[in-house]
Amino acid sequence: MATSRILVADDDEAVLESVAWLLQENGYDVVPANGGVSCIEQLEKRAPDLILLDILMPDADGCQLLERIKGDDRWRDLPVLMLSAQPPEEASVKSLGLGAADFIRKPYRPKEVLARVQAQLRMGALLRSTRAALMRTEEQLVRAQQDADSRRKLVDILHEVTGDLSVSELFHLLVRRAARALGVSHCSVVLARPGEPQATVVAAFENPGLQHLPVQLERYPELKAALDSGQPVLVEDLDTHPLYEGVRHVWGIEGLEVPIRSVIALPFSIDRGQYGVFLVRRTRDQERFGPADLEFAQAVITAAVAVIQRAQMVESTMADNARLEQLAQTDPLTQLLNRRALTERIAAEMERTLRYDSTMALLMIDLDHFKRVNDTYGHLVGDDVLRDVAPLLSDTIRTADIVARYGGEEFLVLLPETDDAGAESFADRIRRAIETHPFASDSLPEPLRLTASIGVAVYPAARIESVEDLFARADAALYRAKADGRNRVRL
């Protein structure tokens, strides 16, 4: 497999060198550019697989540069990660709106950069694969079309639906593009399950704001016929087609004047037993559909369904991966981060602390005499207490802080940008919160009162060179808090 090529553009030599070194150490081919002009020069020579672009550079505005890159057909599909020291709400919204794939705030965290780079390279590879597949489909469809204008419209559809869109967004996009390509005023996507009397309209060209409109299949015989048979249904004239004989009678009783004259219903399958129908219709003032229209519509919808199915696969895979990652990082009892996940965060925070000459603290919290709770009231009550501690700690910490379960009755709190005095003060606030909190359980006649001992370790400090050293320092401080009588904080 070829090495991924990454273009890094930043006027800050220190940042440029550190990012380049990080990526090279992880096996990437890095092309450095010390400004916007150099970035364009490198792009002209050879397009990379990914761009890391600083928002603020003396010789170029990063957002303007991003807009230029995305406006060039040669580079519009290149994923661009924006780097900026600006607040996320100011920089990310603007850059993402211009087509950036993601946003990383300076000072960056190495593991975060690597994770985001890997994610965008994977998405880029998937996009190239999708586009290649669509190009093959496009070539087949173009050969099948006799009308040059229809071919051009079909190409437009295929190009537009290759973006990074959700399935729902794709449905809305496809009805717009398909309606224009087919020259119809009404185009809808309807989802249904076999045997159910009701279907749901999830997107409609004639009503862009429509979402999840239920319809009764008995009033739409073309939908029912397409779903039951799995075959396309062409109705050239609703006034004479036998499929509508019963429905026309109902329309007469209700006094309805139906503006639709001609219909094509194209069924497709999704997954998990769900099916859909692309429903295209022409009104009485438009030309009726014929066999040629059906053939062209089938070609368009076949290509569209392939994109939908790929989007579903991507969505499902990403959701499954996110769930698995969440499970791997979460303590099942308290739903806090587990020790393994926190260890990774601590390692990254230690690197950041050294780089920016800052401080950080780790609190190790142990519930005093917790064994008595389990021995006296049982482990179910003990579990209720531990579950109660989780939100108590989460409500006490700041937004940037991280709380995790260490194991048993021990919890950890990571405090970035915190020195000795701040850590002790914060730890004492937690100690008081636990001491004054009534721990209730359905199995208890009245709430329990508990206390906690807390050990504090601050980094950087002598003889702390690793995460394990930091844990050991906090554990030693916790032991002193226990030895001095419990319900206290020790540094």
Side-chain angles (χ1 to χ4, degrees):
M1 182 179 295
T3 301
S4 296
R5 181 181 177 88
I6 301 176
L7 173 60
V8 182
D10 199 306
D11 66 297
D12 188 329
E13 285 293 333
V15 173
L16 187 61
E17 290 178 5
S18 67
V19 173
W21 177 88
L22 173 67
L23 295 173
Q24 288 168 346
E25 284 294 302
N26 284 271
Y28 297 110
D29 179 15
V30 179
V31 180
N34 60 355
V37 174
S38 176
C39 176
I40 295 297
E41 290 174 351
Q42 293 295 341
L43 277 173
E44 293 285 354
K45 292 178 181 178
R46 178 183 170 188
D49 299 303
L50 176 69
I51 303 174
L52 267 66
L53 179 62
D54 187 20
I55 286 184
L56 295 177
M57 291 183 287
D59 65 340
D61 178 280
C63 288
Q64 292 179 354
L65 193 57
L66 171 64
E67 195 168 12
R68 177 178 174 182
I69 291 171
K70 289 299 178 180
D72 193 308
D73 288 340
R74 296 172 296 171
W75 308 322
R76 65 186 175 93
D77 288 334
L78 281 178
V80 181
L81 287 173
M82 302 301 290
L83 297 167
S84 177
Q86 297 179 4
E89 57 270 20
E90 295 179 12
S92 64
V93 171
K94 184 176 182 181
S95 59
L96 292 174
L98 292 173
D102 209 341
F103 173 87
I104 301 174
R105 186 180 181 186
K106 296 179 182 177
Y108 68 86
R109 299 183 179 186
K111 289 189 178 180
E112 178 188 7
V113 171
L114 291 174
R116 292 178 186 268
V117 164
Q118 290 166 2
Q120 291 306 321
L121 286 173
R122 285 196 298 270
M123 292 302 296
L126 180 60
L127 176 61
R128 289 192 294 274
S129 172
T130 303
R131 192 172 290 280
L134 288 172
M135 288 300 294
R136 290 193 295 271
T137 305
E138 178 183 88
E139 291 170 1
Q140 295 169 358
L141 292 172
V142 168
R143 286 194 298 269
Q145 308 310 314
Q146 299 300 316
D147 184 88
D149 184 61
S150 295
R151 288 199 298 269
R152 179 185 59 78
K153 292 174 181 177
L154 179 58
V155 170
D156 286 345
I157 294 174
L158 295 177
H159 283 172
E160 191 167 347
V161 300
T162 56
D164 183 17
L165 300 175
S166 68
V167 174
S168 175
E169 290 169 327
L170 277 175
F171 282 142
H172 285 277
L173 174 61
L174 288 170
V175 294
R176 292 198 303 271
R177 301 302 297 157
R180 292 167 187 160
L182 296 169
V184 299
S185 56
H186 292 66
C187 181
S188 308
V189 176
V190 185
L191 300 183
R193 293 187 181 276
E196 294 186 357
Q198 183 173 282
T200 303
V201 183
V202 295
F205 171 69
E206 63 274 16
N207 186 357
L210 182 147
Q211 290 186 347
H212 302 290
L213 174 69
V215 294
Q216 299 301 317
L217 290 177
E218 62 181 14
R219 298 185 69 91
Y220 295 86
E222 74 281 7
L223 288 178
K224 190 174 187 308
L227 288 167
D228 289 346
S229 67
Q231 298 297 318
V233 174
L234 168 63
V235 177
E236 297 186 27
D237 191 341
L238 269 68
D239 291 343
T240 59
H241 199 285
L243 191 62
Y244 286 83
E245 185 174 349
V247 177
R248 285 196 297 268
H249 178 67
V250 173
W251 291 342
I253 293 174
E254 295 178 351
L256 291 178
E257 293 186 7
V258 179
I260 301 299
R261 166 58 62 84
S262 200
V263 175
I264 292 176
L266 297 161
F268 62 92
S269 62
I270 304 178
D271 61 359
R272 301 182 182 89
Q274 190 173 53
Y275 294 85
V277 176
F278 269 92
L279 184 64
V280 290
R281 297 176 289 175
R282 282 180 176 166
T283 55
R284 296 182 180 276
D285 59 345
Q286 296 176 313
E287 185 179 351
R288 298 176 185 178
F289 287 126
D293 296 305
L294 176 61
E295 183 179 354
F296 177 61
Q298 282 182 283
V300 174
I301 301 311
T302 298
V305 169
V307 177
I308 292 169
Q309 290 172 335
R310 182 175 292 273
Q312 279 194 316
M313 179 187 69
V314 172
E315 267 193 358
S316 178
T317 300
M318 293 178 66
D320 289 343
N321 289 343
R323 284 193 294 270
L324 290 173
E325 181 64 19
Q326 180 69 16
L327 287 173
Q329 294 188 350
T330 304
D331 170 59
L333 178 64
T334 63
Q335 301 305 306
L336 296 173
L337 287 181
N338 57 28
R339 177 179 174 177
R340 182 185 70 82
L342 184 66
T343 299
E344 295 176 358
R345 306 285 183 92
I346 293 174
E349 189 61 31
M350 290 174 73
E351 292 177 7
R352 195 193 69 82
T353 296
L354 287 180
R355 184 180 304 111
Y356 298 103
D357 193 24
S358 182
T359 57
M360 58 172 279
L362 180 69
L363 311 184
M364 186 172 287
I365 305 163
D366 184 271
L367 298 179
D368 295 328
H369 302 298
F370 186 75
K371 185 175 183 298
R372 294 180 187 173
V373 176
N374 284 332
D375 292 344
T376 304
Y377 304 105
H379 286 277
L380 293 179
V381 172
D383 288 349
D384 286 343
V385 170
L386 295 176
R387 275 191 288 263
D388 212 6
V389 171
L392 180 63
L393 294 177
S394 298
D395 291 344
T396 306
I397 64 173
R398 303 165 301 184
T399 303
D401 303 332
I402 302 172
V403 60
R405 187 183 179 197
Y406 189 66
E409 67 272 21
E410 291 186 326
F411 295 83
L412 297 170
V413 176
L414 174 64
L415 305 173
E417 304 287 345
T418 306
D419 59 15
D420 301 43
E424 280 195 283
S425 174
F426 199 90
D428 198 59
R429 189 194 316 168
I430 290 176
R431 183 196 62 78
R432 292 195 305 270
I434 293 174
E435 182 181 30
T436 57
H437 182 78
F439 290 93
S441 172
D442 292 339
S443 303
L444 293 174
E446 59 182 22
L448 290 174
R449 295 290 181 172
L450 298 174
T451 61
S453 301
I454 304 177
V456 180
V458 177
Y459 179 81
R463 295 188 298 280
I464 298 182
E465 298 180 355
S466 66
V467 175
E468 290 72 22
D469 293 340
L470 189 65
F471 277 135
R473 183 68 61 86
D475 188 58
L478 174 61
Y479 178 81
R480 288 195 298 275
K482 293 282 190 182
D484 290 346
R486 293 185 170 83
N487 191 25
R488 59 198 67 221
V489 174
R490 289 292 181 265
L491 180 64

